């Protein structure tokens, strides 16, 4: 009797607690974000942990993974010339194409800042390459344009400049073609620059003009310092993208000629899906993650030397 | 109203689930290939469904993507019931126990091989069983642009030796300006030349050649680069590797970016001719080698294998049996996968073949079969990386960035290390 009473007592308490829990605001928050959380855990956290495990294994995908300790990492750091080569190519690409692209984006943004009737059309036109730029179609277009008998050489010949250079087949020019493609896709950085340019108070310029500041002085003393947070943001995001560049090289050159365009991620893909060494490729992936982390950290450390933050 | 439609939808789904469970056998079939192959194979599958009620789910891909897909499928234990297989990968699948041994089914007669030669069956024999049924045979061939040679008044003959061929390349370059694609990126050519030297690239999963052998091979490219007739890496960098449509024999606008020949498989003549510009006539001969008879072999162009984990082994075998033995089915496929292996089928469809395919069949039967040696074993684990190493070195030689001697040294070191793993 006493027992059944106790059960009877507990029951409403349990239902009550559930009700209270359901009515809490944080519960609604958790439930609403569940789709994201589940997706994040299932498709990001779990695969990442798996790849961390595989990076310590011999794993050819066909057979179950076999624990191999640090073997993959040791080989990468001691006996893999292509690892060094691809890292060099990737750094070269990222360190040159990103600053170039940002400079270009800033210049175009400054030009498009002036309000004329055509501004909207120009902005859309300059943004267009960024929308289609990452696509396979543009990569294939690029490949055709710079082939020996491609558009670029044809135009040069029409202008009277005899050219039969294989732009993509020449060790010293091929990587520049990929950099050019990347610089051409400056649109998204440009839009971000545009929006922050518009936020610079006009009063600052007026005051400067009253004080007799010339155009370039206004640019270097007002515009550029106030833009540094945006430049910083763009730099970090684009650097990460630069390190992870894949499709341009994979489609246009496949790392050729003589591995001069062998991006790190392309090399990783080769190891994983052409030689079926998934463990080795996982190890490569984790090394890249650490490199990107370290590089981003480094950028953040330099932040206080050159990025203007209001209120400081 | 909403509730009602929900219930209806649920009921419908259940019905569909039940009906698919109760329905006739269902098979997953996968292959790699081109548009022609996809269309013809689909027609055969439709015909089979009409006749037996067996339904199919198909996976078709290009060669490279196919193996990525299959590897991922096998990791999930989801290999298709019947899959097209290649000498390049079959050994790895057999070693990992992923394929079904066909021997018991051949013995019971479920898989009728009475019209298939023993040598063809042996092409699928490895590790003590038959894990792939060869569905077509072909051979390596040097496809060439006959129009260019006719215009220049140059005649060539089958079974050319290496020296004859090299002299020919030089002559063609001097007379017409056309360069030579000396199997650049054609992985099988390395082993072909090694066989001509009496060696084998892979021996029991290890490297079977010496630095001197490799130097002979790389020396060919060095000589071609020096004499100017070798089509080099600068041209190949802007082409899609392995694409018939972008093969430099049929693609390009001037002789100095094109080749008069292409090293490929004999059955590719049909696709290559289709990709060639109008007015260009292609033909085929043997690939050059220090000893063409030692080098030459009849190859299995592709296998059909059954997954070890299939839920429908009998239905899979029955389909396989139909695929190789049905005259009706092969009248649709018309030897696109290589010369049919069943002699009955081969005779029955001979009259339906187009002249080009007939030329290919005649080449394999009359030129290769009497002048060939034993077919090499399927490639060992790591072969694709060895081939990639070879391609990269050939590329470097074509840029003059490395000597043949250094390339040979580097190749043997790297390849031995890859194969030792």
């Amino acid at each position: 009797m006493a027992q059944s009473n106790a059960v009877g007592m507990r029951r409403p308490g349990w239902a009550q607690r559930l009700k209270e829990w359901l009515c809490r605001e944080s519960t609604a928050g958790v439930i609403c974000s569940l789709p994201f959380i589940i997706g994040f855990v299932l498709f990001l956290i779990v695969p990442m942990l798996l790849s961390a495990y595989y990076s310590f294994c011999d794993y050819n995908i066909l057979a179950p993974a076999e624990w191999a300790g640090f073997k993959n990492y040791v080989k990468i750091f001691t006996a893999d010339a292509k690892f060094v080569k691809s890292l060099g190519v990737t750094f070269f690409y990222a360190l040159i194409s990103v600053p170039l692209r940002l400079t270009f984006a800033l210049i175009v943004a400054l030009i498009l800042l002036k309000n004329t009737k055509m501004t909207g059309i120009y902005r859309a036109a300059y943004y267009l390459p960024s929308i289609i730029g990452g696509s396979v179609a543009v990569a294939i277009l690029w490949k055709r344009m710079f082939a020996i008998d491609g558009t670029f050489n044809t135009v040069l010949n029409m202008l009277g400049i005899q050219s039969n250079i294989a732009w993509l087949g020449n060790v010293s020019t091929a990587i520049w073609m990929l950099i050019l493609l990347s610089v051409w896709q400056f649109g998204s950085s440009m839009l971000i620059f545009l929006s922050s340019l518009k936020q610079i108070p006009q009063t600052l310029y007026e005051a400067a003009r009253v004080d007799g500041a010339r155009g370039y002085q206004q640019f270097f003393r007002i515009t550029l310092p106030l833009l540094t947070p945006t430049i910083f943001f763009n730099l970090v995001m684009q650097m990460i993208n630069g390190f992870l560049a894949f499709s341009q090289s994979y489609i246009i050159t496949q790392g050729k000629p003589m591995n001069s365009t062998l991006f790190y991620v392309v090399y990783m893909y080769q190891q994983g899906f052409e030689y079926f060494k998934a463990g080795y490729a996982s190890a490569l992936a984790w090394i890249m993650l650490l490199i990107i982390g370290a590089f981003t950290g480094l950028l953040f450390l330099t932040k206080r030397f050159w990025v203007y933050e209001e209120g400081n | 109203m909403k509730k009602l439609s929900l219930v209806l939808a649920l009921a419908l789904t259940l019905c569909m689930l039940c009906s698919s469970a109760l329905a006739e056998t269902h098979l997953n079939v996968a292959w790699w290939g081109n548009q022609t192959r996809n269309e013809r194979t689909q027609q055969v599958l439709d015909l089979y469904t009409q006749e037996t009620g067996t339904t199919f789910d198909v996976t078709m891909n290009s060669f490279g993507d196919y193996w990525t897909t299959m590897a991922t499928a096998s990791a999930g234990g989801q290999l298709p019931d019947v899959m097209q297989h290649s000498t390049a990968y079959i050994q790895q699948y057999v070693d990992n126990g992923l394929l079904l041994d066909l021997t018991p089914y051949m013995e019971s007669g479920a898989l009728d091989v009475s019209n298939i030669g023993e040598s063809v069956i042996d092409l699928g024999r490895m590790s003590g069983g038959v894990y792939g049924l060869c569905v077509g045979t072909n051979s390596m061939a040097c496809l060439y642009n006959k129009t260019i040679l006719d215009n220049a008044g140059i005649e060539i003959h089958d079974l050319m030796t290496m020296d004859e061929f090299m002299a020919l390349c030089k002559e063609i370059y001097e007379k017409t300006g056309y360069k030579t694609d000396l199997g650049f990126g054609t992985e099988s050519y390395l082993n072909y030349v090694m066989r001509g030297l009496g060696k084998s690239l892979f021996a029991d999963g290890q490297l079977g050649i010496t630095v001197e052998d490799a130097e002979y091979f790389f020396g060919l490219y060095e000589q071609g680069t020096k004499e100017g007739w070798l089509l080099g890496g600068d041209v190949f960098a802007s082409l899609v590797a392995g694409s018939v449509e972008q093969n430099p024999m049929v693609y390009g606008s001037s002789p100095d970016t094109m080749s008069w020949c292409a090293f490929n498989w004999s059955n590719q003549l049909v696709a290559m001719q289709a990709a060639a510009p109008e007015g260009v006539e292609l033909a085929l001969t043997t690939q050059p080698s220090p000893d063409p008879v030692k080098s030459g072999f009849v190859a299995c162009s592709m296998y059909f294998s059954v997954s070890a984990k299939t839920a429908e082994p009998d239905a899979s075998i029955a389909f396989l049996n139909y695929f190789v033995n049905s005259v009706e089915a092969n009248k649709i496929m018309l030897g696109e996968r290589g010369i049919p292996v069943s002699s009955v089928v081969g005779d029955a469809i001979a009259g339906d073949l187009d002249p080009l395919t007939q030329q290919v069949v005649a080449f394999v039967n009359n030129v290769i079969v009497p002048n060939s040696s034993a077919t090499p074993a399927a490639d060992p684990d790591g072969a694709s990386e060895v081939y990639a190493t070879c391609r990269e070195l050939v590329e470097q030689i074509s840029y003059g960035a490395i000597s043949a001697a250094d390339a040979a040294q580097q190749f043997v070191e790297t390849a031995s290390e890859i194969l030792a793993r």
Side-chain angles (χ1 to χ4, degrees), chain A residues 152-164:
Chain A
F152 191 66
N153 275 348
T154 313
V155 170
L156 280 186
N157 287 336
M158 269 163 50
L159 295 174
I161 307 163
Q162 287 302 314
S163 162
N164 59 353

Side-chain angles (χ1 to χ4, degrees), chain A residues 15 50 82 97 109 111 116 125 127 174 193 261 293 301 304:
Chain A
L50 271 178
K82 269 174 122 180
S97 74
I111 295 170
T116 65
Y127 187 55
F193 277 136
T261 61
L301 280 183
R304 63 195 179 98

Side-chain angles (χ1 to χ4, degrees), chain B residues 28 58 99 124 181 223 227 370:
Chain B
N28 291 309
V58 300
L99 302 179
D181 168 11
Q223 187 185 338
E227 294 177 357

Side-chain angles (χ1 to χ4, degrees), chain A residues 200-210 222:
Chain A
I200 299 175
Q202 283 303 313
T203 47
L204 292 178
Y205 291 106
E206 280 159 19
R209 267 197 295 276
V210 171
I222 301 173

Side-chain angles (χ1 to χ4, degrees), chain A residues 99-116 118-130 182-198 219 223-224 227 234:
Chain A
L100 269 182
R101 188 202 303 208
L102 291 186
T103 315
F104 212 67
L106 183 57
I107 292 171
V108 176
L110 284 170
I111 295 170
L112 292 186
L113 192 59
K114 295 205 174 116
N115 265 320
T116 65
M118 299 290 282
T119 311
I121 294 170
Y122 280 132
R123 281 179 197 164
Y126 281 108
Y127 187 55
L128 209 55
S130 299
S182 150
V183 172
W184 182 55
Q185 297 159 16
F186 58 85
S188 61
S189 317
M190 177 198 78
L191 280 195
I192 298 172
F193 277 136
L194 257 179
S195 66
S196 43
L197 276 173
K198 282 189 178 163
F219 176 76
T223 315
L224 208 52
L227 269 185
N234 268 334

Side-chain angles (χ1 to χ4, degrees), chain A residues 82 144 149 169 257-258 277, chain B residues 96 251 253 392 395 399 421:
Chain A
K82 269 174 122 180
R144 273 313 300 152
D149 53 356
M258 297 215 298
K277 296 200 297 192
Chain B
N96 288 307
Y251 181 89
S253 56
E392 278 175 19
E395 189 190 15
Y399 282 103
R421 281 201 291 267

